[in-house]
Structure formats: structure tokens, C-alpha cells
Amino acid sequence: KILLALAACTHSPHVLAAHPFAVAMAYLGALENVSTLKIQEKVSLIEAASALLGQEIEMANKYKIKDRDSNQDLFYAVETTDCCTRQLKQCLGDCAAWSLDIMYIGGGGAE
């Protein structure tokens, strides 16, 4: 199982002056009427080109998380794993540790 940590971005215009836990709960409320999520990974050209050459270089992945039914953007996720740890994916596969920040964009905020 993958554990994702919801990170409240305090410099975001969507964040009110509130306790971070309360802000995170408000953002999770965006999922209240969502039955299915669609996660789209943004393609890294460097990663794709290095894979074609036979030695893939793992780059920090970025994802859009959408409501599958309405196709509305809800969250934007950015991998924050350091470079050396990302390269461990090649030998450890799914056992390699990784970190992800998830930001609420509520219908199409800035990425």
C-alpha cells in the first residue's frame, strides 16, 4: 500500500489563516461527491529519452488528480523524493521509498 501525505501549502492563495489540519480536512471535502479519481502523470522528456537509450534516469514525477466523471482538476501532486533515492527504483522497484506533496487546486489552480 502507498501512503500519501496531504501537505497543506501555506503560501497558496487557497489557504486561509487556519490550523493546517483544518485546512487539510477542508481540501479532503473536495472528494465528498467524487466517486472515481483519474490520475494523469505528466511525461518527462528526459526520462523518456533516457529509457529509449537503455538507461532510464528517474526524474521527479508530477501528477494531475481529476474527478473521472467531470474531468475537473482537484489536486496536483509533485514527487519530492531526492535524486539518489529516486534512482533506487531501478533496483528496488516498488520497495523503494518515495515522497509526494499533494496540493489542492480546486478546479484548475496554478501548477
Side-chain angles (χ1 to χ4, degrees):
K1 292 183 179 180
I2 299 172
L3 177 63
L4 302 178
L6 180 64
C9 183
T10 56
H11 61 276
S12 168
H14 299 289
V15 177
L16 303 173
H19 189 276
F21 182 74
V23 171
M25 292 308 292
Y27 291 167
L28 288 175
L31 299 174
E32 192 170 63
N33 296 317
V34 176
S35 61
T36 309
L37 293 173
K38 177 169 65 172
I39 301 174
Q40 291 180 328
E41 181 179 354
K42 293 187 97 179
V43 177
S44 166
L45 294 178
I46 295 172
E47 192 171 334
S50 65
L52 288 174
L53 295 173
Q55 185 59 42
E56 185 174 353
I57 299 170
E58 289 287 340
M59 303 297 290
N61 295 311
K62 298 174 184 175
Y63 306 90
K64 280 187 177 181
I65 303 168
K66 303 175 170 235
D67 178 342
R68 183 178 210 126
D69 297 331
S70 70
N71 207 37
Q72 178 184 9
D73 293 343
L74 299 173
F75 299 95
Y76 187 72
V78 178
E79 184 178 3
T80 57
T81 310
D82 66 83
C83 181
C84 293
T85 304
R86 275 197 311 272
Q87 303 319 308
L88 290 175
K89 288 182 185 177
Q90 294 186 31
C91 58
L92 298 178
D94 291 339
C95 293
W98 60 289
S99 300
L100 191 68
D101 282 347
I102 302 174
M103 293 153 278
Y104 176 70
I105 58 173
E111 295 176 8

